[in-house]
Amino acid sequence: MYRFDNDYHCGAHPLILEALREHNDEGYDGYGLDLWCEKASEEIRKHLDLPGAAIHFVEGATQANFTVISSALRPWQSVLSPATGHIHAHETGAVEHTGHKIELLPTEDGKITASQVREVVEGYRDSEVQEHITQPKMVYISFPTEMGSLYTKAELEELHQVCRSYGLYLFADGARMGYGLGADTCDVTLKDLSRLTDVFTIGGTKCGALLGEAVVVGNPQIQTGFRASMKQNGALMAKGWLLGLQFYTLFKDGLYFEINRKACEYAMRIRKAFEDEGVAPYIDSHTNQQFVVLSRRQLEYLEKNYVLQHWEKIDEDYTLVRVCTSWSTTPEEVDALVSNIERI
Amino acid sequence: MYRFDNDYHCGAHPLILEALREHNDEGYDGYGLDLWCEKASEEIRKHLDLPGAAIHFVEGATQANFTVISSALRPWQSVLSPATGHIHAHETGAVEHTGHKIELLPTEDGKITASQVREVVEGYRDSEVQEHITQPKMVYISFPTEMGSLYTKAELEELHQVCRSYGLYLFADGARMGYGLGADTCDVTLKDLSRLTDVFTIGGTKCGALLGEAVVVGNPQIQTGFRASMKQNGALMAKGWLLGLQFYTLFKDGLYFEINRKACEYAMRIRKAFEDEGVAPYIDSHTNQQFVVLSRRQLEYLEKNYVLQHWEKIDEDYTLVRVCTSWSTTPEEVDALVSNIERI
Amino acid sequence: MYRFDNDYHCGAHPLILEALREHNDEGYDGYGLDLWCEKASEEIRKHLDLPGAAIHFVEGATQANFTVISSALRPWQSVLSPATGHIHAHETGAVEHTGHKIELLPTEDGKITASQVREVVEGYRDSEVQEHITQPKMVYISFPTEMGSLYTKAELEELHQVCRSYGLYLFADGARMGYGLGADTCDVTLKDLSRLTDVFTIGGTKCGALLGEAVVVGNPQIQTGFRASMKQNGALMAKGWLLGLQFYTLFKDGLYFEINRKACEYAMRIRKAFEDEGVAPYIDSHTNQQFVVLSRRQLEYLEKNYVLQHWEKIDEDYTLVRVCTSWSTTPEEVDALVSNIERI
Amino acid sequence: MYRFDNDYHCGAHPLILEALREHNDEGYDGYGLDLWCEKASEEIRKHLDLPGAAIHFVEGATQANFTVISSALRPWQSVLSPATGHIHAHETGAVEHTGHKIELLPTEDGKITASQVREVVEGYRDSEVQEHITQPKMVYISFPTEMGSLYTKAELEELHQVCRSYGLYLFADGARMGYGLGADTCDVTLKDLSRLTDVFTIGGTKCGALLGEAVVVGNPQIQTGFRASMKQNGALMAKGWLLGLQFYTLFKDGLYFEINRKACEYAMRIRKAFEDEGVAPYIDSHTNQQFVVLSRRQLEYLEKNYVLQHWEKIDEDYTLVRVCTSWSTTPEEVDALVSNIERI
C-alpha cells in the first residue's frame, strides 16, 4: 500500500536524521536559547523582509495557533476565521479553551476576502451595544488553506490593508507553508508574508521535519511576553535545539523549498491524471492536497493499492476524497497511482 | 567543558536514533493511533499492575502536567502541591492558566506527607463556608522530587490511603522517573506507582529520549475525554508514532532502567567525592541531581571545566549548586569531575 | 415619552419594594442560606414536577448562563445554540471566555429542532477524528426566544427526547419566562419545563423584580459543586435574601404570572393595531416582544412619543423595530401607542 | 438576638429604599448608561483627585475583584496579594479561574509592605529563567484589610512608589471602604487612594447599599475594554441605574461617610469594653471589625444574646471571634453588647 492520505505519516528528510545524529552528543542550552535556534533563525530571516522579526520554534501546529492567538488577544477580543479554518474545525475548541470567540466567515474554497473582514469590523463599529459583543482583533487565515487553495499576493495585500486600517492583526497559519510556496501558481514569497502579516508560521511537521513549527512574529506587540506564553502553553521545548537544528537543515540550502515543490509537482501529475479521466478537481488546488469526488467503484479500485482520505460523504455513491502528496512521496509511488487512475 | 548542569542537553540514546532511522520511511497512522504507540504501551504495561491502564504519549512535561490536572478537575477544584513542586515553581502559572488554584504545602526536601494532605482536606470539610474555597481534589507529587529526593513505598502507601479515603486523585509527575527507579535507595517500582496513584508520568525527555512523556492513566474517571483534552491542549502529536517508537526502544529490553540507573551511580560517586572533601549534600539525594553549597572559590575552580547550575544564592560567598548527571553522562566525564572535586 | 424599547427600564413591582422595606432591618444569613430563599424555593417548587430540584438565585441572566454552562461541561465539551441565542449574540463571548465552544444551529425564528440537534450529534458520533472536535453535551434554548417565539410542548418533548437519548443536557434560558408562560398560545408550564429540561432559569430582572434570576437545577449532575461555581463566577450574592424575598413575593400569590400575562395581552393589542394598518408581524410572536418592519416615516412619526428599539436596518428606508411591553407597561401607555399606530 | 457577625445581614439605609421607591417608575436606559450612574460618578469624582477617572458600578465584590484583575493582566502575569487577601482566601479560586496566579506575601495583620513587593519583583528581574515564572504585574491590597487593619498614607505612598518604579498596577479592594475612611486613626482619603492606586473599589454592599460596588479606574490602560470585560464577566447589570441611584444617595450629602464612621465608633466602644475586661484586641483594628480571643465560657455567655462569627479555633478552649458592627447597627444594640461584655 502506498500512502496518499496525509502528509505526516513518515518521519523526516534523511538530511535531518543525519544532522540529529551528528550533533546528538554535543550538549546545548535548553529552551530554545541555543546555537541551532539562532542559526535557524538567521537562515529564515534571510527570506524575510523583517530584520527585527522574532522567530520561535514550537512542537506542533495546534499549539502554535492557540499560543499565538491567546497571547495576542485581550479577553474581550475575538479572531475572525474562515468557516473551514483549522482552528475552528479540527482543534477541539482549543482557541475557545483559551477564552476567545472565533467569528466565522463563510467560504467555498477555504479563503476569505478583505471585504468580508471589513463588513464584520464595520458591524462592530456601528454597533450601539459594542460591549455586548466581542471586539474583532485578529484575522486568521491559512496559507495554503485546508482545501489546498492559495491566496494571491493581491489578496494578501488587501487583507493586510483592511487589517491595518482597522487595527487588526493578520495571522497566517503556514502548517503547509512549503506546499504553498511550491505551487506553480504561487506568486507569494516568505518576504511577502513577513511584510503583510503580523505573525505567521512555517510548518515543519508536514514539510520535512520530524516535528516543529517556526513562529515568525513581526509585530512587536505580539512579541511581548511570547516566550512566557509559550512556556505557559507547554510550547517551550526543553531540547529546543532539536527544532532549531531541523529548521537550520531545512533552510540553509533551500531544502525546504525543493522537497515541497516536488510534492506539488507530483500532486499536479495526479490532478491531471484525474482530469484526463473526466474527474474534475473539487477545488482548484495547485498544492499537495487534491480533492476529487469518486464513485464507490472508483474508490474501491484505488484503495486496493493506495491509502486515501475520505473527506466527506456526498451521497450514497459518491465520496469527496483527499489525495495528498508530501515531501516523502517518491516518483515511483506517483507513477503507480497515475497509472491506476488511468484505469478508473 | 563537560556539562553537569541539567539532564536535557544531549539528544537521545543512540539506539533511539537508530530506530528512528530504521522506521523513518514506513508511514504510520497519525495522532498516536499507530503500531509503535501500541507496542510501547504493551511494553510499559508489563511493568504495571494495571491491565486496563490507558497510556498516552505527549511531547513535554509541563504539557503533561496541565493536561492531566485540568482534564481531571472540575472548575471549583484545586490541586495540592509541595511548595517546591514544578507546577508551582517553574511552569509560568500553567495550571492556574487552565483555571485551577494550586494549594501549597510547605516542604524542606520536596516531599509532602499524608498528614499534610489530611489536614488540608479536613480543613475543607470542616469549613462552614465551603463554597467560598476551592475543593481539594488532587495531590500532585514528583517522583523523584525537584530536589532529588524520593518517596518510600511506605510514604506512597500513606498518600494513597489518604487520597483514597477522601476521594482525591494522586498524581505523580515522573519527568525524572528513570533516575528515581535507578536510585540505590529506591524501594518503589512502576508496579507500585501504578497501584498507588491515579495517574503518573514516565519521563522520556530527561531520561534518554529526544522528547516525550508517557502518561499512565489508571483511574478511568481521568481517562474520560483525555484524548480530546490532549488535542485541545496541543498535546496530541501528529506523528505520535515517533514517541511510541522511542518508548518502545527504551522499554523493550530494559534500556530505560539501565541507562538511568547508571546516571544515579555516577551521581553517587560525585556525592561521595564532595563528602570526602567535607562538602555535605544539601539534600539527601540518591538520584541524578546532587545539591551542594560551594564557596565562591570552589565554584570558580570547578567552573573552569564543568558547567554547573546555580540554584540559589545563599549569601555573598556561598551558592547552592546543582550537579546533575544524566543518561548521556560518560564515565570519563565523571572521573574528571571527581578528580577535580578532590582538589577543591 | 413612553418607553416600549425594552423590558428592563423600570424598577420593580410595588409589592416587591414594599416587601424590601418591610424586612429591611431584620438581619438574615448571607449567601442565599436564608429564610427567604428557602420560602421562595418552596413557592417555586409548587409549580414544578421536581421535588428534589435545587433552586439558586443569581443576580443576572448572562451570569446565570455562563455559570450553568461552564459548571456542567467538561473542558472538551460544547454547547449547541440557535444562531440567535443570547449566549452567542449578546454576551461578549462569555461562554467562550469560560473555555467552551458554542456550536451554532441556523434558525429563522429563534428556535431549533430536535432533528438539528440529532444531526450534529450523529455527525460527532460518526466522526473518525472525534478527539479533534468538541463533544456536543448541552443544548441551549431560550423560552421565549430572543425573537419572541415560543417552543410548543411537543417541540420541547422532542428536544428532551433527543437530548436524553444522546446524553445531552437541555438548558432553557428563561430570562423572559413570565412572558412565555403568559402568551395566549403557550401550552407549556413550569411543570413541563422542570420535567423536560435538566436546568432552566426563571427570569426576575425583566419580569417584575429589581434584579435576579432563579436557576432551577433538576439534574443532580449539574447540581454538583454548583454553589462553589456560583461563588467562583461572582454569582453568590452576599445578601442573597434580597433575591429570595423578591421571588417569594412574585410567586406566593401568582403575581409573576399575572403581571407578565398582562404584558403579553398589551403586546397582542399592539400587534393587532399594526396588522390592522397592514404592518404584518416580522415574527409570529405572542409574547411581550413584537417585531415589525417600519418605514422611515412611520418610525419618525411613532418616535415622537415612544421609545422603540431599532433591531436591524433592512435597507435605506426600512428598519426592523422591536416594540416591547413589560410588567410595568400601563393600559394608558398601550392605548396611546395603539391610537398612534392607527395613524401611521 | 442581635447580630454582630457580619456587615451584610440587613438591607439598605432607609434613604436608599426611599430613593428606589421615588424613581421606580421612571424608566432609564440600561447597562449603566443612565442619569443616575452619571450623577453618582459626579458625586464620587468630587472626592477624587482624578478628573478623568472612569467609574463603573458592579453588583458584588468578588465580581469586581476578578473583573479588574483579569481585565488588567496579560495571561503570563500574576497578582501579588497578602496571604490573608480576600481574593486568595474567600473567593473559591475566582482569580485563578480567570487564568492568573496569585503570588502570596506573608502577613500578620493583613497588610503587606513595599519592601515585600520589591523583593518579589527583584527576584523576577534577576531570574535567569524569567519565562518559566509569571511576571508580577499587579499588587492587590484591601483597604481596610480582612483583619480590620489600615494602611497609613505613608505606607500607601511607599506601595505606590514601588509599583510605579517597577511598572506594576496597585489595586485597592475597598469592599469595606466606608469603615476604613471612618476609622479614628485613618489618615487616608479617597483623594489619596485615587492618586496612589491605579484602580480601587468603593464598597456599597457592606456599607449601606442593598448591593453594589463602585470601581474607580484611574489608569487608562485598565480602562481599555473594561465595559466589555464587565459584560463578559456578568458584571454589567441590566438595570445599572439601580446601582447609580444608590451610590448617588450615599454620596450626595456625605451619608456614606457618616453611617460608616458611626459603625467604627461603635466598634471602638466594643473594643474598649473587651479591653476593660482584659481581653486584648487580636489585631489593632480601628474599623468595624474587631477580633478577640474568647474562652468557651465567654463565648457561650455572649452567644445567648448575640450572633458572633467564629473566625478560627485556637485550641480546645479558645476561639478567635469576629465582632462586627455595620451601618445598620443601633446604639441600643451596642449598649446591650457592651453591658454584657462587662459581665464576662
Side-chain angles (χ1 to χ4, degrees):
Chain A
M1 293 292 277
Y2 292 150
R3 282 184 168 265
F4 285 94
D5 53 339
N6 65 43
D7 36 21
Y8 47 83
H9 50 76
C10 280
H13 191 276
L15 287 176
I16 281 183
L17 292 187
E18 201 176 302
L20 288 176
R21 179 177 294 229
E22 189 180 340
H23 302 287
N24 187 57
D25 302 329
E26 285 168 9
Y28 296 102
D29 284 341
Y31 302 105
L33 302 171
D34 62 85
L35 181 74
W36 293 115
C37 285
E38 206 179 302
K39 286 167 75 85
S41 296
E42 270 169 39
E43 289 300 327
I44 292 173
R45 256 190 222 101
K46 290 178 187 168
H47 296 275
L48 308 181
D49 208 4
L50 264 178
I55 302 178
H56 306 278
F57 301 97
V58 304
E59 294 153 330
T62 293
Q63 192 179 64
N65 287 340
F66 70 73
T67 301
V68 164
I69 293 169
S70 69
S71 185
L73 300 185
R74 307 301 301 271
W76 56 87
Q77 295 175 335
S78 51
V79 56
L80 309 191
S81 165
T84 53
H86 206 266
I87 55 169
H88 171 65
H90 302 295
E91 301 186 356
T92 325
V95 168
E96 289 91 347
H97 184 55
T98 70
H100 297 283
K101 189 185 266 293
I102 304 174
E103 296 190 61
L104 298 180
L105 303 178
T107 175
E108 289 290 311
D109 60 355
K111 291 159 59 178
I112 53 174
T113 66
S115 72
Q116 284 180 292
V117 172
R118 182 177 295 109
E119 194 182 348
V120 171
V121 185
E122 289 283 358
Y124 173 76
R125 296 210 160 182
D126 290 351
S127 172
E128 291 175 12
V129 287
Q130 225 170 54
E131 53 263 25
H132 298 243
I133 52 178
T134 51
Q135 180 192 6
K137 183 64 185 174
M138 182 179 260
V139 173
Y140 166 92
I141 59 172
S142 311
F143 188 88
T145 71
E146 292 72 16
M147 305 305 293
S149 58
L150 280 175
Y151 291 89
T152 63
K153 196 195 299 199
E155 289 166 339
L156 286 182
E157 295 270 8
E158 282 174 38
L159 280 167
H160 169 75
Q161 280 308 327
V162 76
C163 285
R164 162 158 302 185
S165 66
Y166 287 106
L168 275 71
Y169 301 124
L170 183 56
F171 168 29
D173 174 352
R176 290 194 171 92
M177 181 60 77
Y179 305 116
L181 300 173
D184 54 16
T185 50
C186 180
D187 68 347
V188 172
T189 62
L190 287 180
K191 262 196 174 53
D192 296 325
L193 282 159
S194 74
R195 186 173 50 86
L196 298 174
T197 71
D198 294 274
V199 53
F200 72 100
T201 60
I202 303 175
T205 308
K206 292 171 175 167
C207 300
L210 281 175
L211 82 166
E213 312 287 305
V215 182
V216 181
V217 185
N219 188 321
Q221 285 182 285
I222 300 179
Q223 176 53 18
T224 304
F226 195 78
R227 275 178 56 84
S229 189
M230 284 169 65
K231 178 65 186 169
Q232 190 173 61
N233 286 297
L236 197 61
M237 194 171 156
K239 300 182 189 168
W241 66 270
L242 291 173
L243 301 176
L245 179 56
Q246 292 184 79
F247 272 92
Y248 175 72
T249 306
L250 287 170
F251 273 84
K252 76 173 161 177
D253 296 320
L255 182 65
Y256 187 80
F257 304 100
E258 183 193 324
I259 60 180
N260 294 308
R261 198 196 60 241
K262 212 162 272 175
C264 293
E265 288 171 14
Y266 296 156
M268 293 305 281
R269 280 191 57 205
I270 293 165
R271 170 177 167 155
K272 190 170 174 305
F274 276 119
E275 286 179 312
D276 289 349
E277 298 309 307
V279 179
Y282 185 78
I283 294 283
D284 181 27
S285 162
H286 288 245
T287 67
N288 72 316
Q289 297 185 92
Q290 295 296 323
F291 294 87
V292 284
V293 175
L294 297 180
S295 72
R296 185 189 307 222
R297 221 169 49 182
Q298 291 171 327
L299 196 47
E300 275 170 8
Y301 171 69
L302 289 177
E303 287 187 329
K304 278 185 203 144
N305 297 304
Y306 309 95
V307 188
L308 306 176
Q309 184 153 4
H310 294 216
W311 203 253
E312 200 188 316
K313 212 169 170 125
I314 303 288
D315 60 26
E316 278 306 291
D317 288 324
Y318 286 89
T319 304
L320 178 59
V321 171
R322 179 173 77 171
V323 187
C324 199
T325 64
S326 89
W327 59 271
S328 64
T329 305
T330 63
E332 293 71 32
E333 291 170 334
V334 180
D335 289 344
L337 175 59
V338 162
S339 78
N340 273 263
I341 292 171
E342 283 163 3
R343 271 171 261 144
I344 62 166
Chain B
M1 293 293 277
Y2 292 147
R3 281 185 171 263
F4 286 93
D5 54 339
N6 64 42
D7 35 22
Y8 48 82
H9 49 76
C10 280
H13 191 277
L15 287 177
I16 281 182
L17 292 187
E18 201 177 301
L20 288 176
R21 179 177 294 225
E22 188 181 340
H23 301 287
N24 187 59
D25 303 329
E26 284 167 9
Y28 296 102
D29 285 342
Y31 302 105
L33 303 172
D34 62 86
L35 180 72
W36 294 114
C37 285
E38 205 179 302
K39 284 165 77 84
S41 296
E42 270 168 39
E43 289 299 329
I44 291 173
R45 257 191 222 103
K46 289 178 188 170
H47 296 274
L48 309 181
D49 208 6
L50 263 179
I55 302 178
H56 305 279
F57 301 97
V58 305
E59 295 152 331
T62 293
Q63 191 180 65
N65 288 340
F66 71 72
T67 302
V68 164
I69 293 168
S70 69
S71 185
L73 300 185
R74 307 302 300 273
W76 55 88
Q77 296 176 334
S78 51
V79 57
L80 308 191
S81 166
T84 54
H86 206 267
I87 55 169
H88 171 65
H90 302 294
E91 301 186 355
T92 325
V95 168
E96 290 92 347
H97 185 53
T98 69
H100 297 283
K101 187 184 268 291
I102 304 176
E103 296 190 61
L104 297 180
L105 302 179
T107 176
E108 289 291 309
D109 60 357
K111 291 159 60 178
I112 51 174
T113 65
S115 71
Q116 283 181 294
V117 172
R118 183 176 297 111
E119 194 181 349
V120 172
V121 184
E122 288 284 357
Y124 173 75
R125 294 208 163 184
D126 291 350
S127 172
E128 291 175 13
V129 288
Q130 224 170 56
E131 53 262 25
H132 298 243
I133 52 179
T134 51
Q135 180 193 6
K137 182 65 184 172
M138 182 179 260
V139 172
Y140 166 91
I141 58 172
S142 311
F143 188 89
T145 71
E146 291 72 16
M147 304 307 291
S149 57
L150 280 174
Y151 291 88
T152 63
K153 197 194 301 196
E155 289 167 340
L156 286 182
E157 295 271 9
E158 282 173 37
L159 281 167
H160 169 74
Q161 279 309 330
V162 76
C163 285
R164 164 159 299 187
S165 66
Y166 288 106
L168 275 71
Y169 301 124
L170 182 57
F171 168 29
D173 173 351
R176 291 193 171 93
M177 181 61 76
Y179 305 116
L181 300 175
D184 54 15
T185 51
C186 181
D187 69 346
V188 172
T189 62
L190 287 181
K191 262 195 175 53
D192 296 325
L193 282 159
S194 73
R195 186 172 50 86
L196 297 173
T197 71
D198 294 276
V199 52
F200 71 100
T201 60
I202 302 175
T205 309
K206 292 171 174 167
C207 299
L210 281 175
L211 81 165
E213 312 287 305
V215 182
V216 180
V217 185
N219 188 322
Q221 284 181 287
I222 300 179
Q223 175 54 18
T224 305
F226 196 77
R227 274 178 57 84
S229 188
M230 285 170 63
K231 178 64 186 170
Q232 189 172 60
N233 285 298
L236 195 62
M237 195 172 155
K239 298 182 190 169
W241 67 269
L242 292 172
L243 301 176
L245 179 56
Q246 292 184 79
F247 272 90
Y248 175 72
T249 306
L250 287 170
F251 273 83
K252 76 173 159 175
D253 297 320
L255 183 65
Y256 188 78
F257 304 100
E258 182 193 324
I259 60 180
N260 293 309
R261 198 196 58 239
K262 211 163 272 174
C264 292
E265 289 171 13
Y266 296 157
M268 292 306 281
R269 281 190 57 202
I270 293 165
R271 171 177 164 156
K272 188 168 176 307
F274 275 119
E275 285 179 313
D276 289 348
E277 299 307 307
V279 180
Y282 185 77
I283 293 283
D284 180 26
S285 162
H286 288 245
T287 66
N288 73 317
Q289 296 186 91
Q290 296 297 323
F291 293 87
V292 285
V293 174
L294 297 180
S295 72
R296 184 190 307 221
R297 222 171 47 183
Q298 291 170 326
L299 196 47
E300 276 171 7
Y301 172 68
L302 289 177
E303 288 187 327
K304 279 185 202 143
N305 297 305
Y306 309 95
V307 188
L308 306 176
Q309 184 153 4
H310 295 216
W311 202 253
E312 201 187 316
K313 218 177 165 120
I314 303 287
D315 60 26
E316 278 307 291
D317 289 324
Y318 287 89
T319 304
L320 178 59
V321 172
R322 180 174 75 171
V323 187
C324 199
T325 64
S326 89
W327 60 271
S328 65
T329 305
T330 64
E332 294 70 33
E333 291 170 333
V334 180
D335 290 344
L337 176 58
V338 162
S339 77
N340 273 262
I341 291 172
E342 285 163 2
R343 269 171 260 144
I344 62 167
Chain C
M1 292 293 278
Y2 292 148
R3 280 184 170 263
F4 286 93
D5 53 340
N6 65 42
D7 35 22
Y8 47 83
H9 49 76
C10 280
H13 191 277
L15 288 177
I16 281 183
L17 292 187
E18 201 177 302
L20 288 176
R21 178 176 294 226
E22 187 181 341
H23 300 286
N24 186 59
D25 303 330
E26 284 167 9
Y28 295 102
D29 285 341
Y31 301 107
L33 302 172
D34 62 86
L35 179 75
W36 294 114
C37 285
E38 203 178 304
K39 285 165 78 84
S41 297
E42 269 168 42
E43 290 300 328
I44 292 173
R45 257 191 221 102
K46 290 179 188 169
H47 297 274
L48 308 181
D49 208 3
L50 262 180
I55 301 178
H56 305 280
F57 301 97
V58 305
E59 294 151 333
T62 293
Q63 193 180 64
N65 286 340
F66 70 72
T67 301
V68 164
I69 293 169
S70 69
S71 185
L73 300 185
R74 306 302 300 272
W76 55 89
Q77 296 175 333
S78 51
V79 55
L80 309 191
S81 165
T84 53
H86 206 266
I87 55 169
H88 171 66
H90 302 294
E91 301 186 354
T92 325
V95 168
E96 290 91 347
H97 185 53
T98 70
H100 298 283
K101 188 184 266 293
I102 304 175
E103 296 190 62
L104 298 180
L105 303 179
T107 176
E108 289 291 311
D109 60 357
K111 290 159 61 179
I112 52 174
T113 65
S115 71
Q116 283 180 293
V117 173
R118 182 175 296 112
E119 194 181 349
V120 172
V121 185
E122 288 284 358
Y124 173 75
R125 295 209 161 182
D126 290 351
S127 173
E128 291 174 13
V129 288
Q130 224 170 53
E131 53 262 24
H132 297 243
I133 52 179
T134 50
Q135 180 193 5
K137 182 66 183 172
M138 184 180 257
V139 172
Y140 166 92
I141 58 172
S142 311
F143 188 89
T145 72
E146 292 72 16
M147 304 307 291
S149 57
L150 280 176
Y151 291 89
T152 63
K153 197 196 299 198
E155 288 167 341
L156 285 183
E157 295 269 10
E158 281 174 38
L159 281 167
H160 169 74
Q161 279 309 329
V162 77
C163 284
R164 163 158 299 186
S165 65
Y166 287 107
L168 275 71
Y169 301 124
L170 182 57
F171 169 30
D173 173 352
R176 290 193 171 92
M177 181 61 75
Y179 306 116
L181 300 174
D184 55 15
T185 51
C186 180
D187 67 348
V188 172
T189 63
L190 288 180
K191 262 195 175 51
D192 297 324
L193 283 159
S194 74
R195 186 173 49 86
L196 298 173
T197 72
D198 294 274
V199 51
F200 72 99
T201 59
I202 303 175
T205 309
K206 292 171 175 167
C207 300
L210 281 175
L211 83 164
E213 313 287 304
V215 182
V216 180
V217 185
N219 189 321
Q221 285 182 288
I222 300 179
Q223 175 55 16
T224 305
F226 196 77
R227 273 177 57 84
S229 189
M230 284 170 65
K231 179 63 187 169
Q232 189 173 61
N233 285 298
L236 196 62
M237 195 173 157
K239 300 182 191 169
W241 66 271
L242 292 173
L243 301 176
L245 179 56
Q246 292 183 78
F247 272 90
Y248 174 73
T249 307
L250 286 170
F251 274 83
K252 76 174 160 176
D253 297 320
L255 182 65
Y256 188 79
F257 303 101
E258 182 193 325
I259 60 180
N260 294 309
R261 198 195 59 240
K262 211 163 271 175
C264 292
E265 289 171 12
Y266 297 156
M268 292 306 282
R269 281 190 57 202
I270 293 166
R271 171 175 166 158
K272 187 167 178 308
F274 275 120
E275 285 180 312
D276 289 348
E277 300 307 308
V279 180
Y282 185 76
I283 294 283
D284 180 26
S285 162
H286 288 245
T287 67
N288 73 316
Q289 297 186 91
Q290 295 297 323
F291 293 87
V292 285
V293 175
L294 297 180
S295 72
R296 185 191 305 224
R297 221 170 48 181
Q298 291 171 326
L299 196 48
E300 276 170 7
Y301 171 68
L302 289 177
E303 288 186 327
K304 277 184 202 143
N305 296 306
Y306 308 96
V307 187
L308 306 176
Q309 183 152 5
H310 295 216
W311 203 252
E312 201 188 316
K313 214 173 169 128
I314 302 288
D315 60 25
E316 278 307 291
D317 288 324
Y318 286 89
T319 303
L320 177 59
V321 171
R322 179 173 76 171
V323 186
C324 199
T325 64
S326 89
W327 59 272
S328 64
T329 305
T330 63
E332 293 70 34
E333 291 170 335
V334 180
D335 290 345
L337 175 59
V338 162
S339 77
N340 273 261
I341 291 172
E342 285 164 1
R343 269 171 261 143
I344 62 166
Chain D
M1 293 293 278
Y2 292 149
R3 283 184 169 264
F4 286 94
D5 53 338
N6 65 42
D7 35 20
Y8 48 82
H9 50 77
C10 280
H13 192 277
L15 287 177
I16 282 182
L17 292 187
E18 201 176 302
L20 288 176
R21 179 177 293 227
E22 187 180 342
H23 301 287
N24 186 59
D25 303 329
E26 285 168 9
Y28 296 102
D29 284 343
Y31 302 105
L33 303 171
D34 62 85
L35 179 74
W36 294 114
C37 286
E38 204 178 302
K39 284 166 78 85
S41 297
E42 270 169 39
E43 289 300 328
I44 292 173
R45 256 190 222 103
K46 289 177 187 169
H47 297 274
L48 309 181
D49 208 5
L50 263 179
I55 300 177
H56 305 280
F57 301 97
V58 305
E59 294 151 331
T62 293
Q63 192 180 66
N65 287 340
F66 71 72
T67 301
V68 164
I69 294 169
S70 69
S71 184
L73 300 185
R74 307 301 300 272
W76 55 88
Q77 296 174 335
S78 51
V79 56
L80 309 191
S81 165
T84 53
H86 206 267
I87 55 169
H88 171 65
H90 302 295
E91 301 186 354
T92 325
V95 168
E96 291 90 347
H97 185 54
T98 70
H100 298 283
K101 189 185 266 293
I102 304 175
E103 296 190 62
L104 297 181
L105 303 179
T107 176
E108 290 291 310
D109 60 355
K111 291 160 61 178
I112 52 174
T113 65
S115 72
Q116 284 181 292
V117 172
R118 182 177 296 110
E119 194 182 346
V120 171
V121 185
E122 288 284 357
Y124 173 76
R125 295 209 161 181
D126 290 351
S127 172
E128 290 174 14
V129 288
Q130 223 169 56
E131 53 263 25
H132 297 243
I133 52 179
T134 51
Q135 180 193 6
K137 183 64 185 174
M138 181 179 261
V139 173
Y140 166 92
I141 58 172
S142 312
F143 188 89
T145 71
E146 291 72 16
M147 304 305 294
S149 58
L150 280 176
Y151 291 89
T152 63
K153 196 195 302 198
E155 289 167 340
L156 286 182
E157 295 270 10
E158 282 173 38
L159 281 168
H160 170 74
Q161 279 308 328
V162 76
C163 285
R164 162 159 300 185
S165 66
Y166 288 106
L168 275 71
Y169 301 124
L170 182 57
F171 168 29
D173 173 350
R176 290 194 172 92
M177 181 60 78
Y179 305 116
L181 300 174
D184 54 16
T185 51
C186 180
D187 69 345
V188 172
T189 62
L190 288 180
K191 262 196 174 53
D192 296 324
L193 282 159
S194 74
R195 185 173 51 85
L196 298 173
T197 71
D198 295 274
V199 54
F200 71 99
T201 59
I202 303 174
T205 308
K206 292 171 174 166
C207 300
L210 282 176
L211 81 166
E213 312 287 304
V215 183
V216 180
V217 186
N219 188 321
Q221 284 181 287
I222 299 179
Q223 176 54 18
T224 305
F226 195 78
R227 274 178 58 83
S229 189
M230 284 169 65
K231 178 64 187 169
Q232 190 172 61
N233 286 296
L236 197 61
M237 195 172 156
K239 299 181 190 169
W241 66 270
L242 291 173
L243 301 176
L245 178 56
Q246 292 184 79
F247 273 91
Y248 175 73
T249 306
L250 286 170
F251 273 84
K252 76 174 161 177
D253 296 319
L255 182 66
Y256 188 79
F257 303 101
E258 182 193 325
I259 60 179
N260 293 310
R261 199 195 59 242
K262 211 163 274 177
C264 293
E265 289 172 14
Y266 296 156
M268 292 306 280
R269 281 190 57 203
I270 293 166
R271 170 177 166 155
K272 190 169 174 306
F274 275 119
E275 286 178 313
D276 288 349
E277 299 307 308
V279 180
Y282 185 78
I283 294 284
D284 181 27
S285 162
H286 288 245
T287 66
N288 72 317
Q289 296 186 91
Q290 296 297 323
F291 293 87
V292 284
V293 175
L294 297 180
S295 71
R296 186 189 305 219
R297 219 169 50 181
Q298 292 171 326
L299 196 48
E300 275 170 8
Y301 172 69
L302 289 177
E303 287 186 329
K304 278 184 203 145
N305 297 305
Y306 309 95
V307 188
L308 305 175
Q309 183 152 5
H310 295 216
W311 202 254
E312 201 188 315
K313 216 175 167 119
I314 303 288
D315 60 26
E316 277 307 291
D317 288 323
Y318 286 90
T319 303
L320 178 59
V321 171
R322 179 173 76 171
V323 187
C324 199
T325 65
S326 89
W327 59 272
S328 66
T329 304
T330 62
E332 293 71 33
E333 290 170 334
V334 180
D335 290 344
L337 175 59
V338 162
S339 77
N340 272 263
I341 291 171
E342 285 163 2
R343 270 171 261 144
I344 62 167

